[in-house]
Amino acid sequence: MKPTERKTVSWTGEIISNLGGKKVIIGGDGFRMDRDINGARGIFLRALGDIPSLRACLLECIVSKC
């Protein structure tokens, strides 16, 4: 795991550099989430991208800008 992955907001991708020991992560949009849940969500989303059929679908969607 990269050091920035622990500080990444899973719903926007932004990196929060001053989290310290905070238990809640707050994105730039004001949405709040428990850091453990945010981390689990990030791991889940990365795993979805590792499934070949979903990866192909995501790439197709990105290319066609759906």
Side-chain angles (χ1 to χ4, degrees):
M1 179 180 291
K2 298 176 188 172
T4 56
E5 289 177 341
R6 288 177 255 146
K7 300 177 180 182
T8 303
V9 180
S10 64
W11 60 96
T12 63
E14 68 185 296
I15 297 173
I16 309 293
S17 59
N18 58 348
L19 278 174
K22 295 178 183 173
K23 298 287 183 188
V24 175
I25 190 165
I26 303 170
D29 57 358
F31 187 77
R32 306 166 150 272
M33 184 179 289
D34 180 275
R35 280 183 72 181
D36 290 338
I37 294 172
N38 180 67
R41 186 175 188 273
I43 292 167
F44 175 72
L45 292 173
R46 260 193 320 277
L48 282 178
D50 289 341
I51 299 171
S53 59
L54 286 177
R55 184 181 315 134
C57 182
L58 288 171
L59 289 174
E60 182 180 323
C61 186
I62 290 169
V63 169
S64 65
K65 297 182 182 179
C66 60

